[in-house]
Amino acid sequence: MKQFGISVYPDLRYRVVIDDFDECTLNDNIKETIVQTIHEKYAGSIITSYSSAPSVLFTSNDLPTPFTAQIKPLNDAKLFELVRKWLNAGYNEDETASDLAVLTTYEKLQLVFGQTELEKFAYTAITFLELIDTATGSDIAFSSFAACYDTLITSRLQKADINWRSFDEAKNFLALLAYRAYSENVSGIISREAFEECLDVFEDQYLSSKSGLRSMAIGLFIREDDDGYSFYEEYLWYFLCARYVVKTLQVNDHRKYVQFVSQCTENIFQKKFANIVIYIAYFSNDNFVLTSLLNTLDQLFSKADDWIISDDTREITLGLVLNENLLLDAKSDVNENRMALLQEKVSDIIEDAERVVARYTLPFLNVNMGDDKYNTHVDDEAADAESYMKSVNALLRIHSIIGQILNSRTGTYDAKLILDCITRMVQASGRYAYLNNAIATVLFHDKENQKDNISKIYDKPRLSDEEKYEKVTRIFAFWSVYLSHAGLARYLSQEHSIRALARLSSKHEGGESRTAKGNIPYNFSLVLVIARLYHTGKIDKDYVEDCLKRYGDDSAIMSLLRVVMHIYAYYFPLEIEDKQWIATKLNMSLKRIEVQKLKSSGLSRLRHVVK
């Protein structure tokens, strides 16, 4: 009224907008009364929130059934654009954030989303970008994104005007709720009885205020429904559950602590267990999490005994890539190339071939890992992607978690343990690659029969039988080696891990470490080159030249490095001199630069300036 005067516009034509409704700390019955009053006096309401919690209010018969709209997550290209705009905020047109800074931040953000499996909503992305800038500095690898959640909890307590002296009490109570929820049903849901018991524990043991803890928890972190209570966000439930396991169980009931960690590591292919393990490692100072992960890792693809990757299988590994023309773009601006790559899904490499891959890999998987839970024998009807992907996901998750632990806890673990961890990680990648190469051998030597089998179970009508066969064989022959080793290198791209890789490469891959066929292994060397590339953003020219001398220009490792450099040059900014060096050393083509045209345009601009 002060701004616009008395309006004759009827109330029933207004709609009331309530923003950030999740941040309202009033009791649900008061919220319901507010919503009910709005709907009696006005045309309706529009409520925005970062969870679906407000929809619970509309279960009352007195309120209309709401129309719920959910904003779709961002695709990778839009997420990248969001990061670019965020980093360029405050810059003028002539001065912008470097390509490397944008890509590095984007990859850190992708790491968080990939590890936690959170949806890529703009709100979540901006929250983590803020935390990268402020609370956790520039490193958001392992410990820092666990620290993010600690910061988010603290921030939420501050916004709710909770006394800072009670922050530890609040976190400890929430952690107890999270663990009790796990004990009840292995989820973030807790019954009313268990919730009340947790309040009694804190009142008796810590002289806490039951009403204070109740009002803090409900609304800020958990919601109330007909069956009890549940955590708003799964990732906070993971985090708080891990906090209780380390800070309470490890101290007061070590047997239960060991049992809990073992259960998580044995079921690492499930999202919740993988996340809980990450946060347990963040809080704990012992070696038990690492050793448990390594024990699980040793069971993966255990029926593939030989883990050494060398030119013994060169014809298989490179059978489908020898004729590929890997062309380097001479431009230093890689935005166009990068955006094209960002829009391609990683799953496009495999597409629907997962079921086909499972058809061949099931006999090689370890029965103790539950890989063949749904398949006691292999046939076209029984084979599915889930059993195969369990082991692949377990491999990638364990590599990710151990890599992040080693990278973020430098100085905590001695050299012997670090060398053992990396050796067993590389061995697991080698077993996975060797298994796939063994299957590729069958595909190559029994082409006609295998082509028919693949065509029957690979449902891609747009591809010919020959294209289906080549695509699936490529997965086993080449991409299994590239993805397992290049992926591992990304998790070990830190100084301590690189020094460990260099020591292991020198020990196991010297001139005297030849296979029965006279070839030099390159498991550690391949991981080392890629790890250095991603650590520094620069090509380790001395080591590449050393590999050329040791393995030869036409070796499998050099062909793999050509693909590594090709992908990297299209994804990250490299100076033209580096691209020219790559093209010369690795015998790759470089797009011709129109030097004369550049010179003439430069001279004409110079003449104009002089005039």
Side-chain angles (χ1 to χ4, degrees):
M1 288 175 64
K2 204 168 187 179
Q3 285 182 313
F4 304 109
I6 297 174
S7 173
V8 294
Y9 200 76
D11 288 347
L12 288 175
R13 298 287 298 277
Y14 282 108
R15 279 186 173 82
V16 178
V17 178
I18 308 176
D19 196 18
D20 292 332
F21 199 59
D22 281 315
E23 295 184 7
C24 177
T25 56
L26 295 172
N27 292 332
D28 279 356
N29 60 340
I30 299 175
K31 290 182 183 177
E32 189 173 321
T33 303
I34 292 171
V35 172
Q36 193 169 13
T37 304
I38 289 172
H39 280 263
E40 288 172 355
K41 296 189 65 176
Y42 299 96
S45 64
I46 299 170
I47 295 174
T48 71
S49 67
Y50 55 82
S51 75
S52 58
S55 62
V56 175
L57 297 175
F58 290 87
T59 54
S60 168
N61 293 329
D62 297 332
L63 293 173
T65 302
F67 170 77
T68 305
Q70 187 178 25
I71 297 173
K72 288 184 178 180
L74 302 175
N75 60 33
D76 285 344
K78 286 185 177 177
L79 184 66
F80 174 81
E81 187 63 16
L82 180 66
V83 173
R84 189 186 64 77
K85 288 182 176 180
W86 176 268
L87 292 181
N88 281 314
Y91 281 100
N92 56 43
E93 292 182 2
D94 300 326
E95 184 186 32
T96 58
S98 69
D99 270 356
L100 190 59
V102 175
L103 258 296
T104 303
T105 304
Y106 169 78
E107 291 218 321
K108 287 173 182 173
L109 202 58
Q110 285 284 41
L111 177 63
V112 178
F113 283 119
Q115 194 63 63
T116 60
E117 299 187 22
L118 290 172
E119 295 282 10
K120 296 175 183 176
F121 291 115
Y123 175 91
T124 311
I126 290 296
T127 300
F128 286 118
L129 286 169
E130 283 182 321
L131 289 165
I132 290 172
D133 283 352
T134 55
T136 58
S138 61
D139 180 18
I140 194 166
F142 162 73
S143 63
S144 53
F145 78 69
C148 276
Y149 305 141
D150 219 344
T151 307
L152 286 172
I153 293 170
T154 302
S155 173
R156 202 170 289 181
L157 292 171
Q158 287 172 333
K159 286 182 179 179
D161 292 328
I162 305 295
N163 190 313
W164 63 269
R165 295 180 180 85
S166 303
F167 282 4
D168 276 350
E169 179 186 46
K171 291 176 183 178
N172 291 337
F173 177 69
L174 291 168
L176 175 60
L177 290 179
Y179 180 73
R180 285 298 301 272
Y182 177 91
S183 301
E184 276 196 319
N185 47 39
V186 199
S187 74
I189 301 170
I190 185 171
S191 65
R192 294 180 185 278
E193 293 76 17
F195 183 83
E196 292 300 326
E197 287 173 10
C198 291
L199 287 172
D200 290 339
V201 167
F202 265 70
E203 183 182 50
D204 294 340
Q205 295 185 12
Y206 305 107
L207 302 176
S208 300
S209 163
K210 291 174 69 172
S211 60
L213 290 176
R214 185 192 301 274
S215 61
M216 175 278 299
I218 300 173
L220 282 180
F221 300 97
I222 64 174
R223 59 172 165 260
E224 186 175 6
D225 51 41
D226 294 337
D227 300 323
Y229 304 91
S230 59
F231 281 84
Y232 282 131
E233 299 100 348
E234 269 195 329
Y235 63 90
L236 284 183
W237 171 65
Y238 302 144
F239 179 82
L240 290 164
C241 192
R243 190 180 197 273
Y244 182 87
V245 168
V246 176
K247 290 184 175 290
T248 303
L249 278 191
Q250 187 180 17
V251 176
N252 300 329
D253 194 337
H254 197 263
R255 184 187 62 81
K256 276 191 177 179
Y257 168 73
V258 169
Q259 186 180 4
F260 187 95
V261 173
S262 299
Q263 183 183 9
C264 289
T265 53
E266 288 167 7
N267 294 279
I268 200 73
F269 43 76
Q270 293 184 38
K271 179 181 72 172
K272 63 184 166 193
F273 292 114
N275 280 283
I276 290 172
V277 166
I278 288 174
Y279 306 133
I280 288 175
Y282 168 66
F283 287 113
S284 69
N285 290 315
D286 63 7
N287 296 343
F288 184 64
V289 175
L290 269 180
T291 54
S292 297
L293 288 168
L294 290 171
N295 289 337
T296 303
L297 188 66
D298 290 341
Q299 296 178 59
L300 296 174
F301 310 107
S302 59
K303 294 184 182 181
D305 296 327
D306 192 348
W307 65 276
I308 297 173
I309 303 296
S310 69
D311 270 6
D312 290 10
T313 57
R314 180 181 181 282
E315 292 78 10
I316 299 298
T317 305
L318 305 179
L320 288 173
V321 296
L322 286 176
N323 297 323
E324 285 190 359
N325 180 25
L326 301 177
L327 190 65
L328 283 173
D329 197 318
K331 295 185 297 183
S332 57
D333 179 9
V334 295
N335 281 325
E336 185 179 331
N337 300 324
R338 184 187 301 134
M339 293 309 296
L341 283 173
L342 288 173
Q343 288 165 4
E344 294 176 4
K345 297 178 182 176
V346 174
S347 58
D348 286 345
I349 297 172
I350 298 178
E351 289 184 343
D352 295 337
E354 281 182 3
R355 201 158 66 91
V356 186
V357 172
R359 168 72 175 79
Y360 290 96
T361 54
L362 286 174
F364 293 89
L365 302 180
N366 188 323
V367 294
N368 296 323
M369 288 298 296
D371 297 314
D372 65 348
K373 181 179 178 182
Y374 306 105
N375 299 277
T376 53
H377 64 284
V378 180
D379 57 48
D380 290 346
E381 287 72 32
D384 63 14
E386 183 180 357
S387 47
Y388 165 70
M389 291 308 293
K390 274 186 179 179
S391 283
V392 177
N393 286 338
L395 177 74
L396 299 177
R397 288 184 193 278
I398 293 174
H399 279 175
S400 171
I401 294 168
I402 295 178
Q404 291 173 53
I405 292 172
L406 295 180
N407 291 350
S408 64
R409 303 289 291 276
T410 55
T412 303
Y413 306 107
D414 61 28
K416 183 180 179 182
L417 180 58
I418 294 173
L419 291 168
D420 183 46
C421 283
I422 293 177
T423 298
R424 289 158 78 176
M425 291 165 82
V426 175
Q427 285 175 337
S429 285
R431 285 196 305 273
Y432 169 69
Y434 190 87
L435 158 65
N436 282 274
N437 277 186
I439 294 164
T441 305
V442 175
L443 293 173
F444 273 125
H445 290 94
D446 189 23
K447 180 174 179 179
E448 290 308 313
N449 290 330
Q450 299 304 328
K451 190 162 69 171
D452 291 340
N453 288 335
I454 289 169
S455 182
K456 288 176 185 176
I457 51 179
Y458 189 6
D459 185 21
K460 279 288 177 182
R462 63 184 175 82
L463 298 177
S464 67
D465 288 355
E466 184 68 26
E467 287 171 326
K468 292 176 184 177
Y469 169 81
E470 286 195 5
K471 188 175 185 66
V472 174
T473 310
R474 182 189 297 268
I475 294 167
F476 288 121
F478 176 79
W479 284 110
S480 63
V481 179
Y482 175 83
L483 291 175
S484 62
H485 286 63
L488 174 56
R490 301 293 297 278
Y491 298 123
L492 298 177
S493 56
Q494 187 267 349
E495 290 178 357
H496 287 69
S497 298
I498 287 171
R499 282 194 284 270
L501 282 166
R503 188 181 298 184
L504 290 165
S505 174
S506 176
K507 180 180 178 181
H508 297 290
E509 296 170 357
E512 66 282 355
S513 307
R514 295 182 179 274
T515 65
K517 293 184 179 180
N519 293 308
I520 303 173
Y522 57 79
N523 298 63
F524 294 111
S525 293
L526 179 60
V527 176
L528 176 58
V529 171
I530 302 172
R532 280 179 171 156
L533 180 64
Y534 279 97
H535 175 61
T536 62
K538 298 176 182 177
I539 302 159
D540 189 341
K541 296 179 181 178
D542 291 338
Y543 199 78
V544 171
E545 289 186 337
D546 181 58
C547 286
L548 270 170
K549 290 176 184 176
R550 271 196 292 165
Y551 297 100
D553 182 57
D554 63 343
S555 61
I557 185 175
M558 297 315 298
S559 295
L560 283 161
L561 285 180
R562 287 185 184 97
V563 176
V564 171
M565 299 301 179
H566 179 254
I567 293 175
Y568 191 89
Y570 267 75
Y571 192 66
F572 282 89
L574 283 177
E575 297 294 333
I576 185 60
E577 291 81 5
D578 288 332
K579 292 185 178 181
Q580 288 172 335
W581 186 90
I582 293 171
T584 303
K585 286 292 177 183
L586 301 183
N587 292 325
M588 295 169 68
S589 301
L590 184 68
K591 284 185 180 178
R592 190 172 298 170
I593 306 174
E594 299 178 42
V595 179
Q596 287 303 119
K597 185 176 179 181
L598 289 171
K599 283 183 177 178
S600 61
S601 62
L603 284 171
S604 64
R605 284 198 301 272
L606 181 61
R607 290 192 188 99
H608 178 73
V609 171
V610 171
K611 286 179 182 178

